[in-house]
Amino acid sequence: MVLAETSKNNCLIPRTGLSPLFFSSSKGLTSSSSSPPISPTVSSPGHTFSEFMMEENIENAESIITKWDVNSSSLTQVTSLFHQNRKEAREYLKCVGDLRRSMHFLVSQKSASYKLVLAQKLMQMAMKRLEKEFYQILSSNREQLDPESVSSLSSDGSGSFYVEHELVSEDEAELKKAGESITEVERVSALVMSDLKAIAECMTSCGYGKECIKIYKLFRKSIVDRGLYLLGIERLKSSQINKMHWEALEHTIKNWLNAVKIAVRTLFTGEKILCDHVFAASETIREACFAEITMEGAINLFRFPELIAKSKKEPERIFWLLEFHEAISELWPEIETIFNSALTSAIKLQALSSLHRAGDSVSAILSNFRSSIQKDSSKTLVAGGGIHPLTRSAMSYISSLADYGRVLSDIVADHPPPGNSPSSESYFENPTSIDGPTSAGSVHLAWLILVLLCKLDRKAELYKDVSLRYLFLANNLQFIIDRVHTTNLKYLLGDKWASMHTKKIKQYALRYESLAWNKVFSSLPEGTSSVLSPEAVKDCFRRFNAAFDEAYMKQTLWLVPDGKLRDELKVSIARKLTPAYREFYETQLVALSGEENLEVLVRIAPDDLGNYLSDLFHGTPCSSNSLSSSSHSRGCLPR
C-alpha cells in the first residue's frame, strides 16, 4: 500500500483508500458509459456549506488542470508550466492540494458522489503533468543542479534562503532580497530546487510519491555515475590491478587521490543537499533515494584503496598506502556526515575497511623492511670504510617515511616495535620531537634506525683492521645524522636524539685514532727534553718513519666522505702528533750532526706533517716512495 503524507496534518492516507473507483485507470474512466460528463456543478438546497466549498475546489481545479493536460492538443502539451508562468504554476499546485482535500472530504462524507470520478480523473491528469514537469526541470537544469552549484549554496552560507522562499512565495523578487550576494547561477539553482521540492511534496501528499521518486532516482543516479566517470574512477578488480604496470597503476592512484576529495566534498555533498531539500518532508524517502543514487558509485570509489592494500606488499607501495590512509582519515568526518543513515552504512563500512586495510599493509611493509635490514647477508666490503649501500638505501626510505609523520603515528600506534635487545640498549633512546611529546611514528622511525645501526655493527666486523671498523661506523653514523638534519626526520627525532648520536661519532673517532695512530705516537720517546745517544735517536727516527709510513700508506686509501668529519679527524691527529714530533725533532736532531745521508734517516720535517696528513681519507693511493722523497715535498699530488 502506498502512503501519502498530507501537507497540513501529516496524516498518512492510503492511496487506494478513497474508493475502489477513485484510483482506477484513466482509460477505464473515459471508456465507462456510466461516468458522468465533466460539467459545471449546480448546487442544490441540500448541500452543506462544506460540500459546496469542496465542489467549488473541484471546479476550480478542473479549469487549470485540463488547461495543462499533457494529452491535449494545445500548446500546453509542449510547454513547461513552471518555465512558462511561475505564478500559474503556484496556482496549479494550490488547486491540486485543494482537489486532494476535496476528495478526502467526499470519501468521508459522500463516498457515492459522482464528483469523486471527476476528481479522480483530474488528479490523474495533474499527476501526469507534474511527472512531466518534474522530469523536465531535472533534465533542463543540469548546470543549475550540478553538485558543485548545489554544494556552493550550502558552503557559502546562502543555502538557507531557498528553504524559506519556496515556489509559493509572492514572486522572485523576495528570493533576490533574501540572497543579494549570490550569483545568478546560485539564484536559479535555488529556484529550481524549490520547484522540485514543491512538486515532490505535492505528488507525495497525493499518493504519487513512488512515481516522483522513480524519476528522481534514475535521473540523479546517472548524474552521480557520470560525475565519477569524469573523475576517472574505474571499476577495477584485484586481478586487473595485479596485472597493471607500475607506471599505469601509479597514475591511477594519483588520480584517485585527487578524485576522492572532489567526490566527497562536491559530488556526494551536493547530491545529499539536493536530495535532503527536494524530499525534506520525508526522512525515509530522502534517505532511501540518496542511498540508491550513491551506493554503487561510492562503494566502488572507496573499495579501490582496499584492492591496492591486498595486492603485492612491495616496499615502494607503502607511500601510496600512507596517502590512502591520510586521504580517508582527512575525509572521514565528512563521510560520516554525508552517509549518516542506516541505508548508507555499507558505504561507511567500505571506507573504514579500506582505511584499516591500508594501515595493516603499511605495518606489514614496515615489518618486511625491518626484516630485510636484519637479514641482509652481503659480505662485500666498502672500500676505505665508506658509506655502505645498505645505509644509503635504508636512510632514503626512512627519511621518505618521515614525510608522513602524522599518519604514520596513527598507524603504528597499534603496532609498536618489539622490545630492545640487551646488546643494543646503548644505541636506543626515545626521541624527543621538536613539536612536543614523542609520537608513535617518531619512536618507530628511531627504532628502524637502531636496527640499521645494529646491522652496521655486524658489517664493521668484516674489516680485519679494527681501526678501520671504527672509521666505517663513524662514516655511516655521520651519513645517518646528515640525512636526519636535512629531512623531516629532524622534526620527528629532535635535537636530543641527534646530540646523542653525534657523541657516538666522537667516540668512534677516538677509538679509530687510538688504534690507527698508537704505533706512531709510541714511536716517540715520552720525555723528549732529555738528550739521547745518537744510536737511540737514530732508532727513534727509524721507528717513527716505519710507523708513519704504514699509517700513511693505509689511510690515504681510507675514505671519509663528510668534509667536516674528515677535517676534524686530521686536526685531532695533528694536534697530538705534530707538537710531540717537533719537540723530539728540534731537541734530538743535534745529536746527529755530521751524520752522513741524514736526509735518508730524517725524511720528515715537522712542517711537512700537516702536508702528509692532508692526503688522508680521500681514498686515493699514493706511490710507495712518496715518503722517501725530499723532506720538504709531499708524496701525493696537491688537492
Side-chain angles (χ1 to χ4, degrees):
M1 180 179 290
V2 179
L3 299 181
E5 300 183 23
T6 66
S7 59
K8 291 293 185 183
N9 54 20
N10 292 327
C11 238
L12 294 179
I13 301 170
R15 178 176 179 176
T16 58
L18 295 179
S19 72
L21 181 61
F22 183 21
F23 285 105
S24 61
S25 68
S26 57
K27 182 178 179 182
L29 283 170
T30 55
S31 63
S32 174
S33 59
S34 61
S35 298
I38 298 175
S39 60
T41 302
V42 179
S43 60
S44 65
H47 278 37
T48 66
F49 177 75
S50 295
E51 288 179 68
F52 176 78
M53 291 297 297
M54 294 302 104
E55 291 178 359
E56 185 178 40
N57 285 343
I58 294 173
E59 290 176 7
N60 293 337
E62 181 182 6
S63 174
I64 193 169
I65 290 173
T66 55
K67 175 184 175 181
W68 290 95
D69 181 10
V70 295
N71 294 320
S72 70
S73 58
S74 65
L75 185 62
T76 57
Q77 185 180 15
V78 292
T79 305
S80 169
L81 168 61
F82 284 75
H83 179 73
Q84 183 75 15
N85 191 328
R86 292 184 58 78
K87 184 177 181 181
E88 190 168 359
R90 293 196 294 271
E91 181 64 25
Y92 190 96
L93 291 177
K94 180 180 180 300
C95 287
V96 173
D98 292 342
L99 178 63
R100 175 180 58 81
R101 285 187 288 274
S102 298
M103 293 167 72
H104 279 277
F105 175 82
L106 293 174
V107 166
S108 62
Q109 301 297 325
K110 297 186 68 175
S111 59
S113 172
Y114 77 94
K115 287 291 185 179
L116 276 175
V117 178
L118 171 60
Q120 178 195 14
K121 184 172 183 179
L122 292 174
M123 182 62 75
Q124 288 174 339
M125 285 184 189
M127 292 302 106
K128 287 182 179 179
R129 164 54 66 179
L130 291 179
E131 277 187 53
K132 183 175 181 179
E133 293 289 331
F134 196 74
Y135 179 80
Q136 284 180 332
I137 293 172
L138 286 171
S139 60
S140 63
N141 291 280
R142 293 174 183 268
E143 182 180 350
Q144 289 75 16
L145 296 177
D146 178 82
E148 186 174 0
S149 301
V150 174
S151 60
S152 68
L153 287 172
S154 176
S155 62
D156 65 6
S158 62
S160 60
F161 74 85
Y162 56 69
V163 177
E164 300 171 3
H165 295 267
E166 299 298 341
L167 183 74
V168 295
S169 62
E170 282 299 317
D171 52 43
E172 296 178 28
E174 293 187 25
L175 184 60
K176 293 179 180 179
K177 292 178 182 177
E180 294 178 356
S181 64
I182 65 172
T183 66
E184 177 65 16
V185 172
E186 290 170 340
R187 186 188 68 81
V188 175
S189 295
L191 286 172
V192 170
M193 291 170 67
S194 294
D195 290 350
L196 290 172
K197 178 182 178 183
I199 295 174
E201 288 182 349
C202 183
M203 292 185 69
T204 302
S205 66
C206 293
Y208 285 78
K210 185 176 182 180
E211 289 81 353
C212 177
I213 292 166
K214 181 179 180 181
I215 294 171
Y216 185 88
K217 288 191 298 188
L218 287 174
F219 192 86
R220 294 308 301 179
K221 186 177 186 302
S222 69
I223 295 295
V224 170
D225 290 346
R226 177 166 173 77
L228 291 171
Y229 172 78
L230 293 175
L231 287 173
I233 301 302
E234 305 175 59
R235 298 185 184 279
L236 297 172
K237 298 178 180 178
S238 295
S239 58
Q240 292 174 293
I241 289 175
N242 289 330
K243 292 177 183 178
M244 290 177 72
H245 293 296
W246 175 242
E247 293 78 10
L249 182 58
E250 191 173 34
H251 173 76
T252 304
I253 292 172
K254 285 181 179 179
N255 180 76
W256 186 93
L257 290 168
N258 291 324
V260 70
K261 295 176 183 178
I262 299 172
V264 171
R265 292 172 175 165
T266 300
L267 188 62
F268 296 140
T269 296
E271 196 58 45
K272 173 75 168 172
I273 292 169
L274 180 62
C275 198
D276 285 353
H277 182 71
V278 173
F279 299 104
S282 172
E283 181 180 2
T284 302
I285 291 176
R286 65 174 179 260
E287 287 182 354
C289 273
F290 182 68
E292 189 164 336
I293 289 167
T294 59
M295 182 66 70
E296 186 179 355
I299 290 286
N300 181 63
L301 173 71
F302 291 125
R303 184 188 291 123
F304 181 69
E306 184 174 13
L307 295 178
I308 297 295
K310 288 179 178 179
S311 62
K312 303 171 185 176
K313 301 294 187 294
E314 296 173 349
E316 65 272 14
R317 294 196 179 189
I318 192 172
F319 303 108
W320 292 123
L321 291 167
L322 288 166
E323 294 267 13
F324 285 142
H325 195 283
E326 186 174 41
I328 298 175
S329 296
E330 183 181 332
L331 293 169
W332 183 249
E334 292 159 274
I335 293 171
E336 281 196 303
T337 301
I338 296 168
F339 304 104
N340 60 349
S341 73
L343 294 176
T344 54
S345 61
I347 297 174
K348 286 194 297 184
L349 288 175
Q350 179 59 69
L352 196 61
S353 177
S354 286
L355 184 73
H356 290 158
R357 284 278 189 176
D360 291 343
S361 292
V362 167
S363 179
I365 292 175
L366 286 174
S367 179
N368 292 342
F369 173 67
R370 170 183 56 80
S371 296
S372 70
I373 294 175
Q374 294 173 325
K375 294 177 181 178
D376 185 278
S377 57
S378 171
K379 302 293 184 181
T380 304
L381 291 176
V382 179
I387 310 303
H388 199 281
L390 179 62
T391 306
R392 294 183 186 277
S393 61
M395 285 309 299
S396 175
Y397 196 73
I398 293 171
S399 60
S400 294
L401 288 173
D403 295 336
Y404 301 88
R406 183 182 60 81
V407 63
L408 187 65
S409 292
D410 293 340
I411 292 172
V412 303
D414 297 325
H415 302 85
N420 306 326
S421 62
S423 63
S424 59
E425 285 180 356
S426 62
Y427 284 94
F428 190 78
E429 182 176 336
N430 282 352
T432 303
S433 171
I434 290 177
D435 296 330
T438 304
S439 67
S442 300
V443 173
H444 200 91
L445 293 179
W447 180 72
L448 288 177
I449 294 176
L450 166 65
V451 172
L452 173 61
L453 290 173
C454 291
K455 173 54 68 173
L456 290 174
D457 274 351
R458 304 294 177 269
K459 298 290 185 185
E461 294 173 359
L462 297 174
Y463 292 98
K464 293 181 179 180
D465 192 311
V466 179
S467 64
L468 185 54
R469 295 178 185 177
Y470 286 103
L471 188 65
F472 169 80
L473 291 173
N475 278 331
N476 283 266
L477 184 52
Q478 182 65 56
F479 179 86
I480 291 170
I481 292 176
D482 286 344
R483 288 306 298 263
V484 169
H485 283 152
T486 56
T487 64
N488 282 329
L489 282 168
K490 65 181 176 183
Y491 302 112
L492 296 176
L493 302 184
D495 294 335
K496 188 175 180 181
W497 184 95
S499 176
M500 180 186 73
H501 287 82
T502 299
K503 289 178 182 178
K504 197 71 182 178
I505 292 177
K506 293 180 179 179
Q507 294 173 10
Y508 288 147
L510 288 174
R511 295 298 299 273
Y512 146 76
E513 186 180 293
S514 174
L515 291 167
W517 291 90
N518 183 60
K519 191 174 180 180
V520 179
F521 295 148
S522 62
S523 67
L524 299 173
E526 292 185 7
T528 57
S529 58
S530 57
V531 179
L532 302 176
S533 66
E535 288 302 318
V537 172
K538 288 180 182 180
D539 184 59
C540 283
F541 273 115
R542 289 190 188 100
R543 285 190 289 111
F544 177 81
N545 290 340
F548 191 85
D549 260 357
E550 182 183 358
Y552 176 84
M553 294 302 296
K554 282 197 305 183
Q555 294 180 57
T556 52
L557 295 173
W558 293 359
L559 186 64
V560 179
D562 183 78
K564 185 173 180 291
L565 177 61
R566 184 169 60 243
D567 291 342
E568 287 176 351
L569 290 172
K570 292 177 182 179
V571 168
S572 178
I573 296 167
R575 282 177 178 172
K576 296 174 182 177
L577 181 61
T578 302
Y581 182 70
R582 184 182 298 279
E583 185 177 359
F584 169 75
Y585 182 91
E586 293 177 350
T587 302
Q588 307 298 335
L589 187 60
V590 66
L592 301 180
S593 58
E595 183 76 24
E596 294 183 1
N597 300 320
L598 182 61
E599 66 279 2
V600 176
L601 183 61
V602 184
R603 293 186 286 108
I604 303 173
D607 290 338
D608 288 333
L609 282 177
N611 293 333
Y612 287 118
L613 292 177
S614 67
D615 292 333
L616 305 182
F617 311 132
H618 290 285
T620 305
C622 293
S623 59
S624 58
N625 63 346
S626 60
L627 290 175
S628 62
S629 58
S630 170
S631 62
H632 296 288
S633 64
R634 296 172 57 192
C636 287
L637 294 174
R639 302 187 191 285

